[in-house]
Amino acid sequence: MKTVQISLNSIDKVKSFVNDITKFDYDFDLVSGRYVIDAKSIMGIFSLDLSKPIDLNIHAEDGADEVLEVLKPYLV
């Protein structure tokens, strides 16, 4: 598992983020405070405080580098 910080401070960023990560078969969790939600869930993401960076847990053994390449626009 790899953890990175991302910023999703606009509706368009949230939509493109979900579209980008749904292309992968790995599990992704967003962690904000005590809340952990599925990063592929648009409704779940909007339940978080998007004004500050969020931790993204990537549950991928060997494909994390490919995922990070796609996530570059969102990384803090």
Side-chain angles (χ1 to χ4, degrees), residues 5-20:
Q5 276 209 324
I6 61 168
S7 175
L8 299 173
N9 50 11
S10 73
I11 293 171
D12 291 332
K13 260 189 161 179
V14 171
K15 288 195 310 191
S16 62
F17 170 78
V18 171
N19 285 336
D20 287 344

Side-chain angles (χ1 to χ4, degrees), residues 1-69:
M1 182 178 85
K2 184 160 181 64
T3 301
V4 294
Q5 276 209 324
I6 61 168
S7 175
L8 299 173
N9 50 11
S10 73
I11 293 171
D12 291 332
K13 260 189 161 179
V14 171
K15 288 195 310 191
S16 62
F17 170 78
V18 171
N19 285 336
D20 287 344
I21 66 165
T22 51
K23 296 173 187 165
F24 297 100
D25 287 335
Y26 310 120
D27 287 330
F28 299 90
D29 293 325
L30 286 173
V31 181
S32 179
R34 62 188 183 105
Y35 299 103
V36 178
I37 59 118
D38 182 1
K40 295 181 181 180
S41 164
I42 288 181
M43 292 301 290
I45 292 173
F46 283 123
S47 72
L48 299 175
D49 178 8
L50 299 177
S51 65
K52 52 190 178 213
I54 304 167
D55 288 334
L56 172 68
N57 294 336
I58 305 166
H59 300 278
E61 300 307 315
D62 50 2
D65 293 336
E66 184 185 355
V67 173
L68 289 175
E69 208 44 51

